[in-house]
Amino acid sequence: MTLGTALSTARNSLKTSSGQMSVVSQNIGSARDTNYTHRTTHVLSGANGMVSSKLIRDDNPELLGNYLLKSSQSAAAAAINDGATQLSNIYGTNDFENSPSRLLDDFKKALQFYANNPSQRTAGDAAIDKAKDLANSLNAGSKAIDKLRTDTDSEIKDSVDHINDLLKQFQQVEKEIVNEKGSGRDGYAYMDQRDAILKELSQEIGITTVTHPDGTMSIYGMDDSTLYDKVPRQVSYSPSAPLVAGKAGNPVLVDGVPLSHDAFNSPNGSGKLGGLLKVRDDIAPQYQKQLDEIANALTDIFKGPPALFEGGDETNVTGTAGRISVNPEFDSNTVDGGPEKLGKDLQKLVDNLDKPRNFANDTGLDNTQSIASYTKQSLSWMEGVRKSATSDNEYKSTMFSRAGEALSNETGVNTDDEMALMLQLEQTYSATARIITTVGKMLDDLMSAVR
């Protein structure tokens, strides 16, 4: 090897080492950026000892896809858990003392005491007061469910708006990636931005992606609807509020097609949007149906005449829990009013509370049982939903965390490794610099000898 060749090789190596150190410095500087993907410089050997380098972005599409899956599943579970917790808290505070189950039991005891002491008007008044507490409890429960569904409806609108905004951002980043590649640059910084948008989008709605040969992507929703393909598709939603018992919420539309509720069980999850839809359209309405069935049963058992409970409708049970009230005729504070209007066969009324009767088939509860057992089963059902939602949320949150760790371990920056590599590169750089200095001195000595 001639001195000129040696000098050229050393200078080329110095340039390569300098480039590698620049990349390592960039990795270390971006170590805390969770959306940054590690870069590696691959050194390639050429003819005559020449070396060159190629920058590689250490992405992992499989792990990213798993991250997006776990992200959407975790977000859906969190939304469902939040909704179920709010529903449970309607009656769950203070050891369920204001629940229909507890208040029906109190009413039954007061009515039994009155049946045993029919001449004591105060005992009758106490029974009527307990009936009022029960009706008020059902009113409050129905109102709370209406509010939850209405608030959830507003969150659905916010989620849809966020999805549309993210899809627009995605389009802009895609354009930059195409421009960078067209100009001969790598576009890695924009690819990091694209991954960040996908991660945020997966929190709102379950997604899958397909990468095309030109580096661009298509995004598909949880029911295989197309969310992005060259351009963002329009996700639209018209608020349904206010939502009351029996009123269905409006669907979310993707290109004018309703988002399928079958997608709740989709393998790629459903995101926050899917969780909110499930709370608004499935869990809350079913609980409201149970309260309506309880209220309807009360109006039927005490139908009189005169009826103790008002607000019932034999042709339309929906909304009875919100309408039910105690007939003023049974109030001793009204003219000619009083508990005596319950009649003389008070024991039969008490017994009817434990007598099996038919309930609707679509409430999630046994359709043949007494109203006393039905109220208890309703409370147990809601607590079961809450516990299941909490457990599912904890599990899917853990799986999401592990997916994030796996992705970070594979594509993130390990500062210890980078610092060790930097030390090696600095040593290589110093050694190469010494070679250049030595070769330079040898050339100077040779030129002096020639002179």
Side-chain angles (χ1 to χ4, degrees):
M1 178 184 292
T2 65
L3 290 177
T5 301
L7 181 62
S8 177
T9 300
R11 294 169 78 176
N12 187 257
S13 176
L14 194 66
K15 180 180 179 182
T16 301
S17 296
S18 178
Q20 287 180 289
M21 285 192 290
S22 177
V23 172
V24 172
S25 296
Q26 181 183 350
N27 285 338
I28 294 174
S30 303
R32 293 187 178 182
D33 184 353
T34 56
N35 295 312
Y36 177 84
T37 298
H38 181 266
R39 272 70 150 162
T40 301
T41 304
H42 287 221
V43 178
L44 306 174
S45 300
N48 301 320
M50 299 295 290
V51 294
S52 60
S53 62
K54 181 179 181 181
L55 186 63
I56 300 296
R57 181 173 180 265
D58 298 321
D59 61 337
N60 190 310
E62 289 77 17
L63 287 180
L64 177 60
N66 184 58
Y67 177 95
L68 299 179
L69 165 65
K70 302 305 181 185
S71 172
S72 62
Q73 290 178 338
S74 177
I80 293 171
N81 180 56
D82 182 61
T85 300
Q86 290 185 61
L87 288 171
S88 175
N89 287 341
I90 293 174
Y91 296 123
T93 57
N94 299 322
D95 195 28
F96 306 98
E97 66 178 15
N98 292 317
S99 67
S101 176
R102 180 72 65 83
L103 295 177
L104 178 64
D105 190 50
D106 291 345
F107 171 54
K108 179 184 173 184
K109 290 177 181 177
L111 189 61
Q112 181 65 68
F113 186 79
Y114 183 41
N116 294 338
N117 304 276
S119 61
Q120 295 185 18
R121 198 176 207 225
T122 55
D125 288 337
I128 298 303
D129 286 341
K130 294 300 182 182
K132 290 179 181 178
D133 290 342
L134 179 55
N136 290 336
S137 171
L138 291 167
N139 295 161
S142 184
K143 183 178 180 180
I145 294 174
D146 288 345
K147 184 179 185 304
L148 173 64
R149 293 186 69 220
T150 299
D151 290 346
T152 303
D153 192 75
S154 179
E155 290 185 68
I156 290 171
K157 179 65 169 64
D158 292 341
S159 179
V160 169
D161 289 344
H162 194 198
I163 289 171
N164 283 320
D165 182 58
L166 290 171
L167 291 176
K168 290 177 182 177
Q169 293 179 38
F170 190 88
Q171 183 183 29
Q172 293 301 317
V173 172
E174 281 270 277
K175 288 180 179 178
E176 295 294 345
I177 292 174
V178 172
N179 290 338
E180 289 288 292
K181 286 182 172 292
S183 301
R185 295 183 291 271
D186 53 60
Y188 289 165
Y190 291 109
M191 290 182 183
D192 287 344
Q193 292 181 34
R194 184 172 65 180
D195 285 355
I197 293 171
L198 288 174
K199 290 176 182 178
E200 192 171 352
L201 184 62
S202 69
Q203 284 282 298
E204 298 296 332
I205 184 171
I207 58 173
T208 55
T209 63
V210 174
T211 303
H212 303 297
D214 62 355
T216 61
M217 280 186 177
S218 293
I219 306 174
Y220 300 95
M222 58 186 176
D223 61 346
D224 295 326
S225 56
T226 302
L227 295 175
Y228 182 92
D229 187 19
K230 305 301 181 184
V231 295
R233 303 299 173 86
Q234 182 63 36
V235 184
S236 57
Y237 181 71
S238 297
S240 318
L243 284 175
V244 295
K247 181 180 178 182
N250 292 331
V252 175
L253 306 178
V254 180
D255 270 354
V257 179
L259 190 65
S260 170
H261 278 214
D262 293 339
F264 291 144
N265 298 317
S266 172
N268 60 308
S270 53
K272 178 182 178 182
L273 177 61
L276 292 173
L277 287 170
K278 190 168 185 65
V279 170
R280 186 198 68 177
D281 297 339
D282 288 357
I283 301 175
Q286 191 166 30
Y287 194 35
Q288 198 158 38
K289 286 179 182 178
Q290 294 173 11
L291 298 187
D292 286 342
E293 285 294 313
I294 294 170
N296 182 64
L298 287 172
T299 61
D300 184 59
I301 292 172
F302 295 90
K303 59 186 175 181
L308 173 60
F309 294 101
E310 298 182 319
D313 185 343
E314 293 182 0
T315 61
N316 185 18
V317 176
T318 302
T320 306
R323 298 190 302 264
I324 192 171
S325 63
V326 172
N327 189 339
E329 291 186 38
F330 291 83
D331 192 336
S332 294
N333 294 320
T334 62
V335 179
D336 297 328
E340 296 85 1
K341 295 194 175 183
L342 283 170
K344 295 182 179 181
D345 200 354
L346 295 172
Q347 189 59 50
K348 181 179 180 181
L349 293 176
V350 174
D351 294 341
N352 282 343
L353 294 175
D354 290 316
K355 187 177 181 179
R357 58 182 296 110
N358 294 325
F359 293 91
N361 296 320
D362 58 349
T363 64
L365 307 180
D366 295 338
N367 64 338
T368 302
Q369 57 182 312
S370 70
I371 185 175
S373 64
Y374 191 89
T375 57
K376 290 181 174 62
Q377 193 177 73
S378 174
L379 201 61
S380 297
W381 177 89
M382 189 63 253
E383 283 304 290
V385 170
R386 182 193 60 78
K387 289 180 181 179
S388 177
T390 299
S391 176
D392 190 51
N393 181 46
E394 291 174 352
Y395 172 74
K396 288 181 177 175
S397 177
T398 300
M399 296 305 294
F400 175 42
S401 178
R402 290 178 180 175
E405 291 174 1
L407 181 63
S408 177
N409 290 339
E410 184 70 20
T411 66
V413 177
N414 185 310
T415 52
D416 291 338
D417 291 346
E418 294 302 304
M419 292 301 294
L421 179 58
M422 177 65 83
L423 182 60
Q424 293 177 8
L425 291 172
E426 287 176 347
Q427 292 173 345
T428 300
Y429 187 93
S430 297
T432 304
R434 287 196 296 270
I435 291 174
I436 292 176
T437 300
T438 301
V439 172
K441 186 176 183 304
M442 292 174 68
L443 286 173
D444 289 342
D445 291 343
L446 179 61
M447 293 301 296
S448 297
V450 170
R451 293 194 188 97

